[in-house]
Amino acid sequence: MELAFERRGTGAPLILIHGIGHHWQAWLPVLDRLAAARDVIAIDLPGFGVSPGLPDGTPYTAESLADAVESFCALMGVREPHVAGNSLGGYIALELASRGVVRTATAFSPAGFWSRSELVWCQTALRALRSSARSLPYEQAARAAENPLGRAVSAGLLVAHPSRLTPTALMAATQALAGAAGFDETLESFAGLMPPAPPKVPITIAWGEHDRLLPRRQAVRAAKWSGQRVKLLKGCGHLPMSDDPALVARVILESC
C-alpha cells in the first residue's frame, strides 16, 4: 500500500518505523547519519502522520501494520531491506524478522514484552498524552514547547533529555499524536499483543536505561525471548533517537 515517507542516502535499503502516535520525523535526529551509509526510507505507518488509514474492515494491529510495511516494500521494489523500529515500530521490526522478509532488524524498546500491570500503565500513559495533545490549544502548547519546564512536562515521559528536543520537533510530534486516526484502535489492540515468533534473521534489541513508558526490566524478557543480550542505551529514554542520535545511529549501522 502507499505510505508517506522520506528517503535519503544511498547503499543497502534501511526502513525506519516509528512508534504509536508518532510520525517518520521521529527519526530526523539520526536520518542524515544513517543516510551517509544506507538508502534510508523513514515511513509513516497507516493511520499515522500523513499516511492514509488501513483499508475499511482491516483492524489496526501490529500484525496488520507489519503487513502494510511489507506491502509498501513490495510496491517500492525494495527486497529484503534492513529495518529498524522504535516501540510499536520495534515490535513491527521483530515481526518482519520472524517472517524472514528483512535482512536484519533493530528494535529500540519494542512493545510486547510487558507484564499485565506494565501494559495497563503503558495504555494509561499513552491515553493521557493523547488527551492532552488533543485538548490543549495550539497557542498554549506552543508556549509550553518554548519553555524548558514546559518541554520537561510535555516530553519527560518519553525522553531522558527534554532540553534536546527543539520546540518545532515537540510541536510537530504533539500534532501528529493528536491527529493520528489509527491511534485508539491500535492502542486497544495492545491487550492481545504477544512477542512474535522466533526471528529468522539477525536481530538487535536495545533499550533506554531511563525508559519510563516501557521500563527497562522488560528488556530482561526481551533478552530471554531472543536468546541474546539486550544493549542498554545509557542516558536514553523511550525515544533514544532524540536523546543520543550518535549512539542510536551507531547501534543501527553496526547491526546492518
Side-chain angles (χ1 to χ4, degrees):
M1 68 180 293
E2 294 186 5
L3 299 176
F5 65 93
E6 175 74 5
R7 190 169 194 171
R8 300 182 190 178
T10 58
L14 168 64
I15 306 294
L16 301 179
I17 310 173
H18 62 77
I20 185 171
H22 224 318
H23 52 175
W24 73 257
Q25 289 89 339
W27 298 97
L28 269 175
V30 301
L31 206 54
D32 287 336
R33 296 173 189 267
L34 297 174
R38 300 287 185 272
D39 173 15
V40 184
I41 307 171
I43 65 171
D44 279 344
L45 289 169
F48 297 90
V50 295
S51 282
L54 289 170
D56 290 345
T58 302
Y60 280 89
T61 65
E63 291 76 14
S64 64
L65 294 172
D67 291 341
V69 175
E70 193 173 347
S71 297
F72 168 79
C73 290
L75 181 67
M76 296 288 290
V78 177
R79 292 175 55 86
E80 295 186 343
H82 301 284
V83 63
N86 171 234
S87 195
L88 170 62
Y91 182 97
I92 293 171
L94 296 178
E95 169 65 21
L96 295 172
S98 77
R99 300 179 185 187
V101 297
V102 295
R103 193 172 304 178
T104 66
T106 306
F108 295 94
S109 294
F113 294 95
W114 40 48
S115 66
R116 178 63 188 171
S117 61
E118 290 163 351
L119 166 62
V120 171
W121 156 247
C122 173
Q123 290 178 308
T124 301
L126 287 172
R127 285 193 188 98
L129 289 174
R130 162 89 154 174
S131 177
S132 176
R134 301 186 81 179
S135 62
L136 199 63
Y138 182 89
E139 295 76 10
Q140 189 175 343
R143 287 196 298 271
E146 293 285 350
N147 182 282
L149 179 59
R151 283 201 298 278
V153 171
S154 299
L157 179 67
L158 300 176
V159 297
H161 303 283
S163 62
R164 297 178 187 174
L165 273 175
T166 67
T168 300
L170 180 55
M171 281 301 296
T174 300
Q175 290 179 290
L177 176 59
F183 180 90
D184 293 330
E185 190 176 344
T186 302
L187 187 63
E188 287 299 322
S189 78
F190 282 5
L193 195 63
M194 302 290 289
K200 297 177 181 177
V201 300
I203 66 166
T204 298
I205 300 176
W207 223 283
E209 68 170 346
H210 301 303
D211 195 326
R212 300 181 181 95
L213 183 65
L214 302 181
R216 59 188 260 190
R217 58 181 170 269
Q218 296 179 31
V220 177
R221 300 181 198 119
K224 290 180 179 178
W225 170 82
S226 63
Q228 64 186 51
R229 279 183 175 272
V230 172
K231 297 178 184 290
L232 193 63
L233 305 179
K234 292 186 177 181
C236 292
H238 186 66
L239 300 174
M241 306 86 76
S242 295
D243 285 319
D244 195 335
L247 175 59
V248 169
R250 185 165 67 250
V251 169
I252 293 174
L253 292 175
E254 288 176 352
S255 303
C256 69

